[in-house]
Amino acid sequence: MGSSDQEFSTPPPASRQYGITNPISTAGPSETDLKRTIELEEFLVDAGLHESNEEATKREEVLGEIDKIVKSWVKQLTRQRGYSDQMVEEANAVIFTFGSYRLGVHGPGADIDTLCVGPSYVNREEDFFIILHDILAEKEEVSELQPVPDAHVPVMKFKFHGISIDLLYASISRLVVPQDLDISHGSVLYDVDEATVRSLNGCRVADQILRLVPNIENFRTALRCLKFWAKRRGVYSNVTGFLGGVNWALLVARVCQLYPNAVPSMLVSRFFRVYTQWRWPNPVMLCAIEEDELGFPVWDPRKNPRDRTHHMPIITPAYPCMNSSYNVSTSTLRVMMEQFQIGNKICEDIELNKAGWGALFEPYLFFETYKNYLQVDIVAVDAEDLRLWKGWVESRLRQLTLKIERDTYGMLQCHPYPIEYEDPSKQCSHCAFFMGLQRKQGVKIQEGQQFDIRGTVDEFRHEVNMYMFWKPGMELYVSHVRRKQIPSYVFPEGYKRPRWSRPICQQLADKTSGEDIGEECEGGSSERRLKRKGDADCSGARPNKPEKRASISPSHEKLPTTDQQDHEEVIFNDSVDVRANSLKDSMAVQGAEDCVEASCGNDKDENTRKLPNGSSFLECGEASAGDLFCNSEMIKVDLEQFAGSNCTIVGGSQELLDDDKQGTSPRTEHLKNGSAQNGVADVSEPNLALGVALEARGSVTADAPQKPALRLSLTSTA
């Protein structure tokens, strides 16, 4: 099968430069650092992040069986197409792994990302997705087989002996695929389409990462730790707009390059120190971006306008170099930066022996952070339909965040939470996602003004309805809930709600074929009930209240529009869309104080789409990647060591923020022609900033405003 770790196992000499800059520090660990590393590794073991030897052996056996299946499949096709007996004998396919399994940081129950590389005459459309699919479908050990041929990276998902497999296929320009094929060599990209390039890219990137880090074992421990941290803090999800596995691997690998002799405890601490001070959208790169005569597009905001809009570029190290984090939005970047700051503070306390490693991995209390939320309920007839429907809706949730940002000029901030929840009391197949809402800090809004996002959510509804595999029973309900109304099933077992967060009853009055299927919940007064569109099986009933039966075409009644205690207006629209009903629920987002009230629906009031007299709009004062990269050149610099100051380089300008209480002067050296030297901290200097040095060729700075694409009026309730 694919290449092993043998070729990467011996750490290169410490004097070597890693990446595009010299290291920040080549200092090795102290006795205290070694002790903290042992404590960290013990913590990760106790947290159950390592799989057992039995499971590891089972994974190897599964990969071996899949390898035999694809080899037999290629020989069968070779024979059917009339090739000679010698060709049939030599016909071959090779299985490679990538992702967390290839990097060696997978945990118990994790899936295995695999790539099958076959000869040129075996295609993806028919041979892979039809013939191999049918072969796998007949295997008793294969379950949950799901082909996804139209994905950005076409994939076949299934379980083999209970182990989840994501299988990709790449047909290369060879009649015979050698067993020792080196896919890191550029020749595998000759005469292939872009889907094949993307399929090969996962393996090529994983291999490059392992080549570019100074010490693989230290990299693995730090990455395992930080992936666990990201999941606990709710920022691990590429599809939602945060970062996925390859993104975290690239960020950790860059820190390993900057501190080549650091042990895992040091790497984790330096990770937060570096990225709390990183000046996005300066890109994170493990090596220089490579141009090639093959002509595949690479990330370059100087040439590609779309690349200029990326907020957090993390560039893959294998040709063609791409931004692996293009899903990140303004809102999700803000959330991640906040979490980096928290992690940095905790690591500082750990280094001062004021805290232990457990403090770093405390779960994020998402439902105590905001006063207002969007709740997205996803419903289907059975578990299989829910799996398909949920995957589609989840892939579109990021668009809802982007649309709200766009239509409110960034004044209404969204925090999508990537954890899905399930109400055990519901009889239908159901899950729910939540999104925190708050107005942007520092934005002054007159009391009584609202953000009207009804049209925004209606646009989102229209896009979700485009799902080409929609079936009856696939429903979507979007509703505004206040913190006091968060359903109890989202809280961990044994979690004690704060005194203010008592259970809130939710009542749905649904009708099907003239029959009332509405039902009342227990607990809470009628004045505090929140009605949502939906069927009875998927209502917000308490777990001890049995459901009745599902509704296909519900109708709805209007509730009072005000909540006397919270002074927030909730409007409900009784128009119905069978395929995505509650996307037409009206909500309004109140701008007074910290109270934000969301309003979404299908009512088309022209006045709410026009700019009323006296309303003002804040333009986003952020730079794009193109602002910095498009008007500048990447330059390699030696990273100076500074004592007692913060030094940040953006667009050729240098800011020195003296934090040295004892008056130590920073040691700087300016480069010629307007460029500047990167100033970054040694391991003993926690106050210093890190950025990518750029030679400015224009007047664009990080403070340059972006032009808003769409205006949204602020309607007043006064």
Side-chain angles (χ1 to χ4, degrees), residues 203-384:
C203 295
R204 289 164 53 80
V205 166
D207 286 354
Q208 272 293 89
I209 290 173
L210 294 176
R211 286 189 178 93
L212 292 171
V213 294
N215 185 295
I216 289 178
E217 288 308 315
N218 288 344
F219 161 74
R220 284 173 170 161
T221 301
L223 177 56
R224 192 185 296 274
C225 169
L226 287 159
K227 286 178 64 175
F228 181 52
W229 171 85
K231 292 175 182 177
R232 298 284 282 181
R233 303 303 294 179
V235 290
Y236 189 98
S237 173
N238 180 61
V239 69
T240 312
F242 294 105
L243 301 181
V246 67
N247 310 128
W248 292 108
L250 292 169
L251 290 182
V252 174
R254 183 63 183 131
V255 174
C256 291
Q257 291 181 335
L258 295 171
Y259 299 91
N261 296 318
V263 292
S265 64
M266 298 167 64
L267 291 172
V268 171
S269 174
R270 283 13 171 220
F271 176 92
F272 292 111
R273 182 181 302 173
V274 166
Y275 292 117
T276 54
Q277 302 177 75
W278 195 275
R279 294 304 179 97
W280 306 104
N282 285 323
V284 171
M285 300 187 294
L286 300 187
C287 58
I289 294 178
E290 176 187 355
E291 296 284 352
D292 195 280
E293 67 275 5
L294 294 177
F296 291 107
V298 298
W299 187 84
D300 188 348
R302 294 170 297 188
K303 299 178 181 178
N304 309 321
R306 180 176 296 181
D307 294 344
R308 301 175 195 174
T309 66
H310 295 167
H311 298 281
M312 192 182 189
I314 303 173
I315 311 305
T316 55
Y319 176 81
C321 299
M322 309 174 191
N323 176 23
S324 63
S325 54
Y326 58 87
N327 278 349
V328 173
S329 68
T330 302
S331 289
T332 53
L333 176 58
R334 171 186 58 84
V335 172
M336 285 187 282
M337 291 303 294
E338 289 174 356
Q339 293 302 321
F340 288 160
Q341 293 284 355
I342 295 171
N344 187 51
K345 178 62 172 64
I346 294 174
C347 284
E348 289 176 354
D349 289 343
I350 291 173
E351 291 181 341
L352 295 173
N353 296 319
K354 294 181 179 179
W357 286 112
L360 184 63
F361 303 100
E362 286 292 326
Y364 179 55
L365 300 180
F366 175 71
F367 294 106
E368 295 183 18
T369 304
Y370 300 96
K371 292 185 178 181
N372 292 268
Y373 299 83
L374 286 183
Q375 178 175 339
V376 180
D377 290 285
I378 305 169
V379 179
V381 171
D382 53 38
E384 179 64 18

Side-chain angles (χ1 to χ4, degrees), residues 5-14 16 18 210-217:
D5 297 335
Q6 298 298 325
E7 56 194 299
F8 309 120
S9 57
T10 303
R16 170 186 164 187
Y18 300 93
L210 294 176
R211 286 189 178 93
L212 292 171
V213 294
N215 185 295
I216 289 178
E217 288 308 315

Side-chain angles (χ1 to χ4, degrees), residues 610-623:
K610 296 178 181 178
L611 189 65
N613 294 333
S615 295
S616 60
F617 298 89
L618 181 69
E619 294 185 352
C620 299
E622 300 181 3

Side-chain angles (χ1 to χ4, degrees), residues 316-507:
T316 55
Y319 176 81
C321 299
M322 309 174 191
N323 176 23
S324 63
S325 54
Y326 58 87
N327 278 349
V328 173
S329 68
T330 302
S331 289
T332 53
L333 176 58
R334 171 186 58 84
V335 172
M336 285 187 282
M337 291 303 294
E338 289 174 356
Q339 293 302 321
F340 288 160
Q341 293 284 355
I342 295 171
N344 187 51
K345 178 62 172 64
I346 294 174
C347 284
E348 289 176 354
D349 289 343
I350 291 173
E351 291 181 341
L352 295 173
N353 296 319
K354 294 181 179 179
W357 286 112
L360 184 63
F361 303 100
E362 286 292 326
Y364 179 55
L365 300 180
F366 175 71
F367 294 106
E368 295 183 18
T369 304
Y370 300 96
K371 292 185 178 181
N372 292 268
Y373 299 83
L374 286 183
Q375 178 175 339
V376 180
D377 290 285
I378 305 169
V379 179
V381 171
D382 53 38
E384 179 64 18
D385 282 358
L386 179 65
R387 183 171 61 87
L388 300 173
W389 180 230
K390 179 191 72 174
W392 167 252
V393 175
E394 188 178 8
S395 72
R396 308 310 302 169
L397 285 178
R398 185 178 68 91
Q399 295 299 322
L400 179 58
T401 302
L402 295 176
K403 293 177 190 302
I404 293 176
E405 290 176 355
R406 175 199 68 191
D407 291 352
T408 64
Y409 293 86
M411 289 188 289
L412 178 59
Q413 294 179 330
C414 307
H415 179 174
Y417 201 52
I419 309 301
E420 68 175 86
Y421 296 91
E422 181 180 354
D423 187 348
S425 70
K426 289 180 168 54
Q427 297 175 5
C428 65
S429 296
H430 157 271
C431 68
F433 289 92
F434 292 83
M435 181 185 297
L437 298 173
Q438 69 176 10
R439 64 179 175 86
K440 184 176 182 179
Q441 299 300 313
V443 175
K444 295 182 179 180
I445 301 176
Q446 295 181 2
E447 184 175 357
Q449 287 184 325
Q450 298 175 324
F451 296 117
D452 187 345
I453 60 172
R454 290 176 294 182
T456 305
V457 178
D458 196 46
E459 181 183 344
F460 171 70
R461 173 197 61 81
H462 177 73
E463 291 187 359
V464 171
N465 278 344
M466 300 299 290
Y467 183 51
M468 63 187 303
F469 301 110
W470 181 88
K471 297 179 182 178
M474 292 181 174
E475 309 280 358
L476 182 66
Y477 306 97
V478 176
S479 51
H480 164 240
V481 292
R482 289 181 287 274
R483 182 166 56 189
K484 299 177 182 180
Q485 298 166 315
I486 295 295
S488 61
Y489 63 78
V490 307
F491 296 99
E493 186 176 356
Y495 178 81
K496 201 169 184 179
R497 280 176 174 266
R499 194 160 42 89
W500 42 259
S501 188
R502 65 182 184 276
I504 300 296
C505 209
Q506 298 180 11
Q507 177 182 352

Side-chain angles (χ1 to χ4, degrees), residues 607-634:
N607 292 328
T608 65
R609 308 303 298 175
K610 296 178 181 178
L611 189 65
N613 294 333
S615 295
S616 60
F617 298 89
L618 181 69
E619 294 185 352
C620 299
E622 300 181 3
S624 69
D627 293 334
L628 299 180
F629 199 92
C630 192
N631 293 290
S632 57
E633 292 181 356
M634 296 298 302

